[in-house]
Amino acid sequence: MNLQKTLGPQASSHLRLIGMALLWGASWPAGRMVAQHMPPLAASGLRFVLAALVLLPWMYMAGGMGQLKTWSARRWLGMAAAAATGVFGYAAFFLSGLQHLPASKAALVITLNPVVTLLLAAWIFRERLNRTIGLGMLVAAMGAALVISHGNPLQLLSSGVGVGELMILGCVVCWVSYTLIGRAILTGVDALSTTAVTSTMGAIMLLLASLVVEGPQGMAGVVHAGGTAWGALLFLAWGSTALAYAWYFDGVKALGAGAASGYITLVPVIGVICSALWLGEQVDASMLVGGALAVAGTAVMNWGRRQPAPLAGAARAG
């Protein structure tokens, strides 16, 4: 039975967005399984090779291949930069960080993504901020600091952060860079084409890096990993990448980017729950409080971004 006919177009889009949040949330424990049994660069490279095997035919069927011939050198350079940050850098930090850090904690640290992105967008592109967005940023940053410091933010000043936390913060830097590159250079390219092309380019970068850093043993370690690790890798490639992006694009098209992005707030919560259920990870008080603050701050930021800009006359009157 057709889901859209049964529930209506908007209801089915909301369900797909919930599915997207579930897949992206579950990517954290899946990544932890892969990181514990496979070399990170080789596994990441194979993940995006497998994803590209789905994304490129999807792009072809959507009629997106013809546009590649018309892209300028600047656009191709932009794609390469986006692939280097959003795929190569993010994926390498993602699995390397999960070698040292529980998946539940890593999923909460990543809530810094929208905070840093909005701050830099306001600085570079003069994107509008308001008090609601500022409040959300502050709350989300406080929550992330609690999670990173195990409930003692002052400890960050004296002892710093661990290797795992630094790696996941590297994910934040890479994703923010990817987002800002897309804003500056890739305007006018649809999301499917950007994802398919950057995934393919990023896969090549990751495989080359694996050969240099891990040697032939890297791919051999992936091939000889157990069935559980391979299942997690296939889930990352086809579930968390290809299918989740398909559902996200559907939600953006049907409901708008603002409504669709609101569902991303659920991702860290789902990541913590899945990590506790599947991996038996312990969730302490600092993670509960910090996670609640981070998710609440992200929700407040999304709400603030949907508020209309004040009228010029009203702004001057204050």
Side-chain angles (χ1 to χ4, degrees), residues 23-267:
L23 290 172
W24 280 351
S27 70
W28 292 96
R32 175 74 168 169
M33 294 178 195
V34 171
Q36 289 179 319
H37 297 92
M38 294 180 175
L41 291 174
S44 297
L46 188 56
R47 168 192 175 181
F48 282 96
V49 167
L50 293 169
L53 292 177
V54 174
L55 290 167
L56 290 175
W58 178 21
M59 180 182 170
Y60 175 80
M61 290 186 290
M65 287 294 184
Q67 66 180 310
L68 300 184
K69 299 177 183 178
T70 67
W71 284 2
S72 64
R74 181 175 183 271
R75 178 149 288 173
W76 279 108
L77 286 173
M79 286 288 175
T85 54
V87 178
F88 172 74
Y90 186 94
F93 281 125
F94 174 72
L95 286 188
S96 297
L98 287 173
Q99 288 183 323
H100 304 278
L101 202 64
S104 52
K105 187 173 184 179
L108 293 174
V109 173
I110 213 72
T111 53
L112 282 172
N113 268 353
V115 176
V116 181
T117 301
L118 274 177
L119 282 174
L120 289 178
W123 176 43
I124 298 171
F125 301 112
R126 301 293 188 266
E127 188 167 309
R128 180 184 66 88
L129 297 180
N130 56 37
R131 292 179 181 178
T132 305
I133 294 175
L135 175 63
M137 285 180 172
L138 179 61
V139 172
M142 288 172 56
L146 280 174
V147 173
I148 294 171
S149 64
H150 302 277
N152 185 11
L154 293 178
Q155 186 182 17
L156 296 177
L157 300 176
S158 58
S159 60
V161 297
V163 174
E165 287 88 351
L166 285 173
M167 292 288 184
I168 299 303
L169 289 174
C171 287
V172 173
V173 172
C174 288
W175 189 256
V176 170
S177 301
Y178 172 76
T179 304
L180 296 178
I181 288 168
R183 171 80 178 269
I185 301 176
L186 305 180
T187 304
V189 183
D190 64 280
L192 172 58
S193 298
T194 299
T195 304
V197 172
T198 55
S199 293
T200 304
M201 297 173 77
I204 296 170
M205 295 176 189
L206 286 162
L207 291 176
L208 290 174
S210 174
L211 283 175
V212 172
V213 176
E214 298 166 343
Q217 297 85 358
M219 194 54 66
V222 172
V223 171
H224 294 104
T228 300
W230 264 98
L233 183 65
L234 292 174
F235 172 79
L236 286 175
W238 293 332
S240 298
T241 304
L243 183 58
Y245 270 100
W247 285 345
Y248 182 64
F249 297 154
D250 173 83
V252 170
K253 184 183 296 185
L255 305 174
S261 63
Y263 279 89
I264 297 176
T265 309
L266 299 172
V267 171

